[in-house]
Amino acid sequence: MLTNKKIGLFITGGIASYKMAELSRQLIKKGAEVRVVMSQSATEFITPLTMQTLTKNPVLLDTFDEKDPSIVQHIHMADWCDYVVVAPATANVLAKMAHGLADEIVSTTLLAVHCPRLIVPAMNTNMFYNPATQRNINQLKQDGHQVMFPDKGFLAEGYEGVGRLPELTAIVSELEKLVAQNELTQLLKDKKVVISAGGTRERIDPVRYITNDSSGKMGYALAEAAVHLGAKVTLVSTVRNLTVPTGVDIQYVESAQSLFEVMQQALKEHDIAIMTAAVSDYRVKNQVSQKIKKQANQEGLTLDLVENPDILAYLGQHKQPGQIVVGFAAETHNVLEFAKGKLERKKADWIVANDVSRKDAGFSSDHNQVTLLGNDNRVIALEYGTKKELAYQIWQTIMG
């Protein structure tokens, strides 16, 4: 999403300024070109040489330091940027941006910027919640700028509070969302989407369970892509080790029964339901509350299993006109044959079929190769790629 994008990183004088070295590296790793503008206060926390070395570009520090007579440097910088990140955005620079002040290099250049900007406030809790700061933030939002809400955590002052700089991965993700919403056709604008992800766990006792190899990565990729395409997204996940995409509402479940209950309700409130979760077909009939101990002379253990609800079939049978239901078919052989049968039995609009026996795709991998089967008899094979790449292609096919 950030490949070949020109990102202007505007650093102001807060303690979180030191984190901008790593933020610039993360943006560059994503394929962006980064140029930096720093206030004099910012240079008290991190040196311009550091930022110049990491970005391979000179750092703007002074409005009147005009080295090239053929340009006006702050206007040239403003024109160069595809997107701007202001981080950490102090209370001071928020006030300047909100009121159009231009009295040093950062505020002067920002006044000339005419591209989308992401503003990342970071400051003391009391400064953040000061009515003047809140008015300034609201004004910036009204002006059409994207303003992140700071994290709650341990502050430089030595106590917990709101005002901590968001995690750098969250800032990058928010920037990617901003880029997507400005450059991609908003196929899902005003749509409400619910996506399930991961493999369900069916408890045997408090320490053992029956599950499968689903990592949840495809579901998370679809959720992130849906946000980028304009949707309001709810992700129902059985896994907790993946980073929740920016802008996604998360709800965690464990068993097939708990997933079924959530998806039942979600169908009433969403336009599109996608079942990427790998749901256990069976659960233990009599789950025990204490760990099962191996007994002397015991030659085995028999578990009585009962069938779980068929969630995809329920969604397909109860969808209303205009709703879209999509299922996934993870198969090891006869992939298209089994997927076609599943499409018909479950009354889904689409089935996304993939061969999980491949070592280079499927469960746990970051890559996949899938084929979409529609209830209008369309069969569309997508080329092998990353799950994030495929997520966009899947959405384009479904909404095409």
Side-chain angles (χ1 to χ4, degrees):
M1 194 62 65
L2 298 181
T3 301
N4 297 325
K5 294 295 180 288
K6 299 173 181 177
I7 308 300
L9 178 57
F10 288 68
I11 307 174
T12 60
I15 185 63
S17 301
Y18 79 91
K19 297 181 180 180
M20 295 305 100
E22 178 57 28
L23 178 61
S24 68
R25 288 184 63 82
Q26 290 195 21
L27 295 173
I28 291 167
K29 287 179 180 178
K30 290 280 188 175
E33 182 181 354
V34 179
R35 294 187 182 180
V36 175
V37 184
M38 297 177 69
S39 69
Q40 284 300 314
S41 296
T43 65
E44 299 291 331
F45 298 98
I46 185 169
T47 68
L49 180 59
T50 297
M51 301 310 302
Q52 176 178 298
T53 302
L54 293 174
T55 64
K56 305 295 188 293
N57 283 307
V59 176
L60 269 64
L61 297 169
D62 186 345
T63 309
F64 300 102
D65 186 16
E66 297 285 355
K67 294 184 174 65
D68 185 349
S70 67
I71 62 171
V72 177
Q73 66 166 354
H74 67 280
I75 300 299
H76 180 73
M77 176 65 185
D79 291 341
W80 176 85
C81 297
D82 294 326
Y83 296 88
V84 156
V85 178
V86 185
T90 60
N92 184 45
V93 80
L94 293 177
K96 289 180 180 181
M97 285 190 289
H99 293 88
L101 297 182
D103 61 355
E104 39 70 49
I105 187 63
V106 168
S107 57
T108 300
T109 307
L110 285 172
L111 197 60
V113 162
H114 48 86
C115 66
R117 66 185 76 177
L118 173 64
I119 302 168
V120 191
M123 66 197 72
N124 174 267
T125 297
N126 298 323
M127 295 176 72
F128 178 73
Y129 283 117
N130 185 286
T133 301
Q134 291 301 304
R135 285 196 301 271
N136 292 332
I137 289 173
N138 289 333
Q139 181 61 55
L140 291 168
K141 290 179 178 179
Q142 290 175 23
D143 290 343
H145 305 311
Q146 187 75 19
V147 183
M148 291 187 73
F149 194 85
D151 281 357
K152 181 179 181 180
F154 192 72
L155 304 177
E157 293 78 6
Y159 53 81
E160 293 279 328
V162 173
R164 183 182 176 88
L165 188 81
E167 293 297 324
L168 301 184
T169 53
I171 296 173
V172 173
S173 182
E174 190 71 26
L175 179 59
E176 289 179 321
K177 184 176 80 170
L178 181 64
V179 172
Q181 292 180 342
N182 276 276
E183 299 190 9
L184 298 180
T185 302
Q186 297 296 281
L187 299 173
L188 298 173
K189 183 175 174 57
D190 299 326
K191 297 292 185 184
K192 294 181 179 179
V193 174
V194 60
I195 301 170
S196 67
T200 58
R201 294 180 177 184
E202 308 303 328
R203 289 285 169 185
I204 299 170
D205 62 19
V207 299
R208 303 180 181 92
Y209 53 81
I210 300 170
T211 190
N212 55 68
D213 288 330
S214 177
S215 64
K217 291 180 179 179
M218 191 72 246
Y220 277 65
L222 283 165
E224 181 177 58
V227 170
H228 288 176
L229 295 172
K232 180 175 176 56
V233 181
T234 300
L235 182 62
V236 187
S237 177
T238 66
V239 296
R240 296 173 181 263
N241 63 319
L242 298 178
T243 301
V244 179
T246 298
V248 171
D249 295 327
I250 188 72
Q251 185 167 354
Y252 291 109
V253 296
E254 181 174 90
S255 67
Q257 186 63 42
S258 60
L259 177 59
F260 178 50
E261 292 169 1
V262 172
M263 295 301 290
Q264 272 185 303
Q265 182 61 36
L267 186 65
K268 302 174 185 177
E269 304 165 353
H270 292 79
D271 304 298
I272 304 171
I274 298 191
M275 283 291 299
T276 67
V279 182
S280 299
D281 292 323
Y282 298 94
R283 68 181 183 275
V284 177
K285 183 177 182 180
N286 298 306
Q287 178 186 332
V288 297
S289 59
Q290 296 181 326
K291 179 182 176 182
I292 299 173
K293 304 296 290 183
K294 184 177 180 180
Q295 303 297 320
N297 302 320
Q298 182 177 351
E299 294 185 355
L301 176 67
T302 300
L303 296 174
D304 289 330
L305 302 179
V306 295
E307 194 169 351
N308 272 322
D310 191 327
I311 303 174
L312 181 58
Y314 176 89
L315 299 178
Q317 292 164 7
H318 291 83
K319 66 180 179 179
Q320 299 299 309
Q323 285 185 306
I324 298 174
V325 171
V326 181
F328 271 64
E331 306 292 349
T332 58
H333 62 289
N334 299 337
V335 175
L336 295 184
E337 177 186 341
F338 291 155
K340 183 178 180 181
K342 187 172 186 177
L343 176 69
E344 295 170 352
R345 292 194 311 275
K346 314 292 185 179
K347 301 186 185 305
D349 296 286
W350 292 89
I351 290 291
V352 182
N354 64 303
D355 184 351
V356 294
S357 68
R358 291 179 54 165
K359 295 183 184 294
D360 62 344
F363 288 155
S364 299
S365 174
D366 291 328
H367 294 74
N368 211 348
Q369 190 279 314
V370 302
T371 300
L372 282 75
L373 292 82
N375 61 5
D376 56 0
N377 296 319
R378 279 189 288 170
V379 178
I380 302 170
L382 302 182
E383 293 186 4
Y384 178 84
T386 68
K387 289 180 176 178
K388 289 191 175 186
E389 292 169 343
L390 288 172
Y392 289 102
Q393 295 178 49
I394 289 170
W395 280 120
Q396 289 165 356
T397 302
I398 292 171
M399 303 305 295

